[in-house]
Amino acid sequence: MTEAATELREAVTLYERDREKLQADLNAFNSRFCKSLPDENDAQRAARETFGPNAEAIRGLVKQVDQLHKLVPV
């Protein structure tokens, strides 16, 4: 296997792992906050703070997709 193919395979593996974790985290957030939306300011702030790591993970996945795009031979 070539070095480029190995690098692509490793990048795909990392992306899939991170995507699965994000999906699980988003499902947990949804279960906690979206069935009954918080109506008090403190609860809304708590929801936003809880979502913060998910937003960071989403930004990370965007970077990973960009990297995968660069690694895929055309």
Side-chain angles (χ1 to χ4, degrees):
M1 186 173 288
T2 67
E3 185 176 324
T6 301
E7 185 178 3
L8 177 60
R9 179 172 289 169
E10 289 172 359
V12 167
T13 299
L14 291 172
Y15 168 78
E16 289 173 343
R17 184 195 68 209
D18 291 348
R19 184 197 68 218
E20 289 173 14
K21 181 180 182 326
L22 175 61
Q23 286 175 328
D25 291 346
L26 289 173
N27 287 336
F29 180 87
N30 184 43
S31 294
R32 183 172 173 196
F33 293 103
C34 295
K35 301 226 188 250
S36 174
L37 295 175
D39 56 358
E40 297 295 322
N41 195 11
D42 288 342
Q44 293 168 353
R45 287 178 185 267
R48 172 58 186 101
E49 289 176 17
T50 301
F51 191 79
N54 292 328
E56 286 297 318
I58 291 167
R59 283 190 279 279
L61 282 182
V62 169
K63 290 177 183 177
Q64 286 178 318
V65 168
D66 184 51
Q67 181 64 26
L68 287 171
H69 174 73
K70 292 175 183 176
L71 292 173
V72 173
V74 180

